[in-house]
Amino acid sequence: MTRVRFAPSPTGYLHVGNARTALFNYLFARKTGGQFILRIEDTDKERSKPEYETALIEDLKWLGTEWDEGPDIGGACGPYRQTERMDTYREYAEKLLLEGKVYRCYCTREELEERNASAKAQGRSLGYDGRCRKLSAADVSRCESEGRPSVLRFAMPDHTIKVNDLIRGEVVFEGDTISDFVIIKSDGMPTFHFAVVMDDYLMRVTHVIRGDDHLSNTPKHIALCEALGAEIPQYAHMAMTLGPDRARLSKRHGATSVRAFQENGYLAEAFFNYMALLGWGSSDDQEIFSKAELIREFSLERCNKSSAVFDHNKLLWMNGLYIRKTPPSILTGLALPFLKQHGLISDSPSPETLALCEKTITLEQEKIKTLLDVPERIGFFIREPVYDPKAVEKHLNEKGKTTLKLMLTVLEGLPTFSTYAVEMAVREFCEKNACKTGDVFHPLRVAVSGTTKGPGLFEMLEVLGKDTVVKRIKTAISYQPSV
């Protein structure tokens, strides 16, 4: 059975690039009928925090990548936090030490830096020179008696290592060009290289799908697998995610964490769809996919070798499309947290308030690009309008207020206040008084909404209702802007 994993470090919020890795692993697992594992690499004691682990899990769930095994649900191959697997790492490290595949290194950091500086000055390659690989028993005894701290280094074999990458094809590395690397630090903590190989081995991971920044690590991991007698997983290295300037995606390009996009009002389905297209594409260049369609169509063979460019504008366009096709009742539910943040509704809004929100969102749905737009677009329906000074100056001048006084009488006399009835009455007023429609429509809009923008005027008036419209027109007539 196919088994893949996503193994983030809880040292910050989930980055877009890492989310894409999680998404591709998830799609591959579901496409092949396999299993998707969430594993937490929390051996960085200084930077790893429980709150970041919680955030990672929340953000992955929001994205829609459900896992079959993980720290929150358990599984047959747990535990799923590296800090809870320390005894296992030490046990296997000691086994490799006894087998002569690993050795103790007593070189200090200062000594290593001095040697590398000398090698650089002489034009030689950098990296560990293998000095401690063949220490005599007397040398080891002397180092121990001096109280020198030691690390465990893996004795890198000197043979050729081939990576049969599922995206990049065959990549060849010469083992004798790769320095012996540390697998256990002096404080007893495993390095990334050792922990990730051990976890993949014991969790029976069959495919490792990750960013191509890890490609150079792969020969080390294959060599460790060979030393352990472990089956070597199949590797697939995805191209990096870049910003529009083709530099590595960073904060200077805008939001880079999944949480930031969620907080900025993007829909999970739209974000899932867009992320799946970064570095992957269908055979017919289709762009809009449901999750089921993506699972059915996904294949590693169609992943691009070239880097993927994250385009905020394309994501915004796609999000607007998803918003427009979302049923208003569901969209209203998604928008509630944003309306609460802006103080437009309470934590427990009444059924009447919810109904009003749905009606007004329906009016503006075609223009909403993110959920963050909703409070601005429908706020005046829920609370008193805030007048735009430029709109007041242009449309609530003496002429505009005179028009509003006349219109007030007309609107107060309407027996019904439907969109049709209001529109007919206003247009009839314009004809009788030889008014340009704009000279009536604009003052009316500003009076009830505070701005010149918004949904259709007459639909808006119907939703607000006669009493509110009359009240707001009276307020507008007496409104005096502060100097």
Side-chain angles (χ1 to χ4, degrees):
M1 175 185 287
T2 299
R3 285 173 63 82
V4 298
R5 49 73 171 176
F6 175 57
S9 297
T11 55
Y13 290 114
L14 182 63
H15 187 271
V16 163
N18 290 333
R20 176 171 162 252
T21 300
L23 183 59
F24 278 35
N25 274 279
Y26 168 79
L27 290 172
F28 184 73
R30 295 296 175 258
K31 171 66 178 288
T32 58
Q35 294 178 319
F36 177 47
I37 303 164
L38 176 63
R39 190 172 73 216
I40 302 297
E41 296 187 348
D42 58 348
T43 55
D44 186 336
K45 293 185 290 186
E46 292 185 1
R47 299 172 60 219
S48 294
K49 298 184 184 301
E51 55 266 35
Y52 285 136
E53 179 184 320
T54 299
L56 282 168
I57 290 174
E58 289 174 350
D59 293 346
L60 286 168
K61 287 182 176 179
W62 175 81
L63 183 60
T65 53
E66 309 91 1
W67 43 94
D68 304 291
E69 301 174 26
D72 56 332
I73 59 176
C77 296
Y80 295 91
R81 296 182 185 89
Q82 287 186 337
T83 51
E84 297 172 2
R85 301 173 64 83
M86 302 306 296
D87 290 343
T88 299
Y89 302 137
R90 295 188 186 106
E91 175 189 343
Y92 278 86
E94 288 294 330
K95 180 176 181 292
L96 292 175
L97 181 63
L98 291 173
E99 293 173 353
K101 297 171 182 176
V102 162
Y103 60 91
R104 291 196 179 278
C105 173
Y106 296 92
C107 298
T108 65
R109 176 175 295 181
E110 293 74 20
E111 290 170 338
L112 295 173
E113 290 175 352
E114 183 179 338
R115 286 180 217 153
N116 268 327
S118 177
K120 185 177 181 180
Q122 297 174 30
R124 293 184 285 111
S125 59
L126 305 183
Y128 186 64
D129 59 8
R131 187 163 303 197
C132 291
R133 189 191 271 216
K134 294 183 180 179
L135 287 179
S136 66
D139 290 332
V140 171
S141 178
R142 177 177 53 79
C143 290
E144 292 289 341
S145 65
E146 291 175 359
R148 281 197 172 217
S150 65
V151 299
L152 291 184
R153 283 187 186 273
F154 179 71
M156 191 69 191
D158 60 5
H159 61 73
T160 298
I161 298 175
K162 295 181 180 180
V163 181
N164 295 309
D165 195 277
L166 296 174
I167 295 174
R168 302 184 172 278
E170 184 178 87
V171 185
V172 178
F173 296 88
E174 297 301 330
D176 58 4
T177 65
I178 302 173
S179 302
D180 295 349
F181 56 92
V182 176
I183 65 164
I184 299 291
K185 303 174 190 177
S186 58
D187 62 0
M189 295 295 285
T191 61
F192 160 75
H193 297 300
F194 189 55
V196 73
V197 170
M198 285 303 314
D199 291 344
D200 287 345
Y201 167 38
L202 297 175
M203 292 182 184
R204 305 191 303 278
V205 170
T206 62
H207 295 73
V208 174
I209 306 170
R210 58 189 180 184
D212 63 5
D213 53 331
H214 284 293
L215 182 58
S216 61
N217 294 327
T218 305
K220 298 178 182 180
H221 299 173
I222 289 176
L224 270 172
C225 286
E226 292 172 342
L228 291 163
E231 185 172 347
I232 299 170
Q234 291 185 270
Y235 290 94
H237 289 91
M238 303 156 40
M240 297 294 289
T241 304
L242 305 179
D245 58 358
R246 303 200 70 81
R248 190 162 186 167
L249 192 65
S250 64
K251 290 181 179 178
R252 65 190 176 86
H253 295 115
T256 58
S257 71
V258 171
R259 178 146 299 206
F261 284 101
Q262 183 180 359
E263 291 173 347
N264 285 334
Y266 286 81
L267 302 189
E269 294 83 358
F271 196 74
F272 188 104
N273 188 161
Y274 178 73
M275 292 295 292
L277 299 180
L278 286 177
W280 175 85
S282 66
S283 57
D284 58 0
D285 295 326
Q286 180 180 342
E287 290 191 310
I288 306 304
F289 292 87
S290 66
K291 182 188 286 191
E293 288 173 326
L294 282 168
I295 290 171
R296 185 175 64 248
E297 294 291 331
F298 184 79
S299 69
L300 291 174
E301 290 74 20
R302 293 200 60 81
C303 291
N304 299 328
K305 296 180 183 179
S306 56
S307 298
V309 175
F310 192 96
D311 186 340
H312 284 78
N313 291 329
K314 177 101 177 259
L315 172 60
L316 186 62
W317 164 80
M318 187 173 288
N319 198 70
L321 188 150
Y322 269 83
I323 281 179
R324 289 192 292 277
K325 70 176 188 177
T326 300
S329 59
I330 295 176
L331 192 60
T332 301
L334 294 171
L336 291 182
F338 297 89
L339 294 169
K340 291 176 185 177
Q341 287 173 14
H342 284 74
L344 293 172
I345 62 173
S346 66
D347 289 337
S348 302
S350 66
E352 293 77 17
T353 298
L354 292 176
L356 176 60
C357 289
E358 185 174 336
K359 282 183 181 179
T360 55
I361 285 174
T362 302
L363 288 180
E364 289 286 68
Q365 190 164 359
E366 288 295 316
K367 300 173 186 175
I368 297 170
K369 293 181 179 179
T370 76
L371 296 174
L372 206 56
D373 295 339
V374 174
E376 180 182 354
R377 288 199 167 273
I378 75 166
F380 70 86
F381 283 100
I382 301 171
R383 65 185 176 195
E384 294 301 312
V386 176
Y387 290 115
D388 176 0
K390 291 184 179 179
V392 169
E393 182 180 356
K394 188 172 183 179
H395 300 295
L396 293 188
N397 49 29
E398 184 176 345
K399 179 182 177 183
K401 289 183 177 181
T402 298
T403 300
L404 288 175
K405 290 176 183 177
L406 295 172
M407 275 305 314
L408 184 61
T409 302
V410 172
L411 296 176
E412 283 181 317
L414 288 177
T416 61
F417 213 74
S418 67
T419 298
Y420 177 79
V422 173
E423 182 174 1
M424 291 299 100
V426 173
R427 291 190 182 279
E428 184 179 342
F429 172 86
C430 292
E431 289 181 11
K432 283 185 177 180
N433 293 276
C435 296
K436 294 181 180 179
T437 55
D439 291 339
V440 178
F441 289 10
H442 292 313
L444 263 178
R445 181 181 290 279
V446 175
V448 300
S449 71
T451 182
T452 57
K453 301 176 183 178
L457 174 63
F458 304 109
E459 291 85 357
M460 176 175 71
L461 295 177
E462 179 184 351
V463 170
L464 283 167
K466 183 176 180 178
D467 291 345
T468 299
V469 169
V470 167
K471 177 185 173 185
R472 290 188 180 183
I473 290 175
K474 290 180 179 178
T475 299
I477 291 170
S478 61
Y479 180 74
Q480 294 296 328
S482 57
V483 179

